[in-house]
Amino acid sequence: MAKQRLVLTFPHKVVEEPITYHLIKDYDLVVNILRAKISPQEEGRLMIEIEGEKNALNKGIGYLKRLGVRTQPLAQDIRWLETRCTHCTLCVPLCPTGAILVDRDKMEVSFDKDKCIACGACIPVCPYKAIEILF
Ligand code: SF4
Ligand code: SF4
C-alpha cells in the first residue's frame, strides 16, 4: 500500500466534478479530505490524504492530471519558520501525528513536514506564528 498527502488545485470547469467519488470507485483508493476551499465559478483547492495500491494510486493521479488538476505534495504548503521558534514546546502535545518533536536533552523542537496533516491545532497556540499553512 502507498499513501500520499497532496494539495489539488483545479480549474472552475471541473469544480463540480465528483473527483473524490471517482478516485474511490474507479481506482479503489481511500481518500481522506483534510481541507477544502471550493466555490462555484472559481478555482478549487483540496488537501487530501490518498491511499491504495501503488499502481492504482499512480492511475488515480493520472486521472487527476488528465482532468487538468494540479497536484503537489502537501508538505509544500506547510512551513515551520525555525528562526521564529523559541522552542517553548507549547505546540508539542497538541500535534496528533508527532510532526512536532522535542529533543528533551537539548530542549530543541524540530518539525517533520512529512508527518504533518495540516490539522492546524498548533497554529493558534504558537505565540510567534512559527508555523504556517499556506492553504
Ligand atoms: S498542523 Fe497539525 S499535524 Fe501539522 S504540525 Fe500542527 S498540530 Fe501537527
Ligand atoms: S509553539 Fe511556536 S515557538 Fe513554541 S515550540 Fe511550537 S512552533 Fe516553536
Side-chain angles (χ1 to χ4, degrees), residues 29-59:
L29 297 170
V30 177
V31 179
N32 181 18
I33 297 174
L34 303 171
R35 281 172 186 242
K37 262 193 202 168
I38 304 169
S39 32
Q41 309 305 318
E42 288 175 24
E43 189 177 81
R45 296 194 87 204
L46 209 54
M47 195 179 267
I48 61 169
E49 188 173 65
I50 183 170
E51 184 173 5
E53 293 297 332
K54 197 170 177 198
N55 200 25
L57 194 54
N58 290 338
K59 284 183 179 168

Side-chain angles (χ1 to χ4, degrees), residues 52-70:
E53 293 297 332
K54 197 170 177 198
N55 200 25
L57 194 54
N58 290 338
K59 284 183 179 168
I61 291 171
Y63 154 72
L64 294 173
K65 289 187 176 160
R66 283 195 301 283
L67 268 185
V69 177
R70 287 200 313 277

Side-chain angles (χ1 to χ4, degrees), residues 2 5 40 51 100 102 113 118 130 134:
R5 293 193 187 112
E51 184 173 5
I100 308 173
V102 60
K113 272 185 173 195
L134 313 172

Side-chain angles (χ1 to χ4, degrees), residues 80 84-91 100 109 125-128 130-131:
W80 178 56
R84 287 192 193 167
C85 178
T86 59
H87 306 272
C88 70
T89 73
L90 271 177
C91 58
I100 308 173
V109 168
V125 300
C126 180
Y128 306 101
I131 303 172

Side-chain angles (χ1 to χ4, degrees), residues 35 78 91 94-100 111-112 115-123 131 133:
R35 281 172 186 242
I78 311 285
C91 58
L94 297 173
C95 180
T97 63
I100 308 173
F111 179 59
D112 183 345
K115 287 189 182 167
C116 178
I117 55 166
C119 69
C122 56
I123 291 180
I131 303 172
I133 298 177

Side-chain angles (χ1 to χ4, degrees), residues 87 89 92 100-111:
H87 306 272
T89 73
V92 175
I100 308 173
L101 303 163
V102 60
D103 179 332
R104 298 271 167 207
D105 293 332
K106 296 182 189 164
M107 283 313 286
E108 271 182 19
V109 168
S110 61
F111 179 59

